[in-house]
């Protein structure tokens, strides 16, 4: 096998799979956070426009 000649064995995959899963999960979490930022005040979600001078409810 080509990978074994490079020094890669089965033990590497025990470390690689969880790290790859963590990395993929962090990417998906970041994408979900960016998507939910659009609805911080829920005005876009429910179609309500903020009145002039009205502050958003989030800091």
């Amino acid at each position: 096998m080509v990978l074994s000649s490079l020094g890669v064995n089965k033990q590497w995959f025990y470390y690689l799979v969880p790290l790859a899963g963590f990395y993929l999960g962090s990417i998906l979490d970041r994408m979900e956070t960016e998507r939910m930022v659009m609805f911080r005040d829920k005005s876009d979600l429910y179609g309500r426009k903020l009145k002039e001078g009205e502050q958003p409810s989030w800091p």
Side-chain angles (χ1 to χ4, degrees), residues 13-29:
F13 293 107
Y14 294 134
Y15 300 110
L16 183 65
V17 170
L19 289 175
F22 178 78
Y23 181 69
L24 179 64
S26 66
I27 289 173
L28 292 174
D29 187 47

Side-chain angles (χ1 to χ4, degrees), residues 9-48:
N9 53 19
K10 287 183 182 179
Q11 218 169 15
W12 281 48
F13 293 107
Y14 294 134
Y15 300 110
L16 183 65
V17 170
L19 289 175
F22 178 78
Y23 181 69
L24 179 64
S26 66
I27 289 173
L28 292 174
D29 187 47
R30 192 176 319 125
M31 288 172 56
E32 179 67 13
T33 301
E34 288 174 2
R35 188 181 74 85
M36 292 305 289
V37 164
M38 294 185 297
F39 304 113
R40 273 192 184 160
D41 200 24
K42 296 183 183 176
S43 59
D44 286 341
L45 181 63
Y46 297 113
R48 183 176 75 87

Side-chain angles (χ1 to χ4, degrees), residues 41-44 47-58:
D41 200 24
K42 296 183 183 176
S43 59
D44 286 341
R48 183 176 75 87
K49 299 293 182 197
L50 293 177
K51 297 175 187 162
E52 184 117 9
E54 185 178 3
Q55 295 292 323
S57 59
W58 47 271

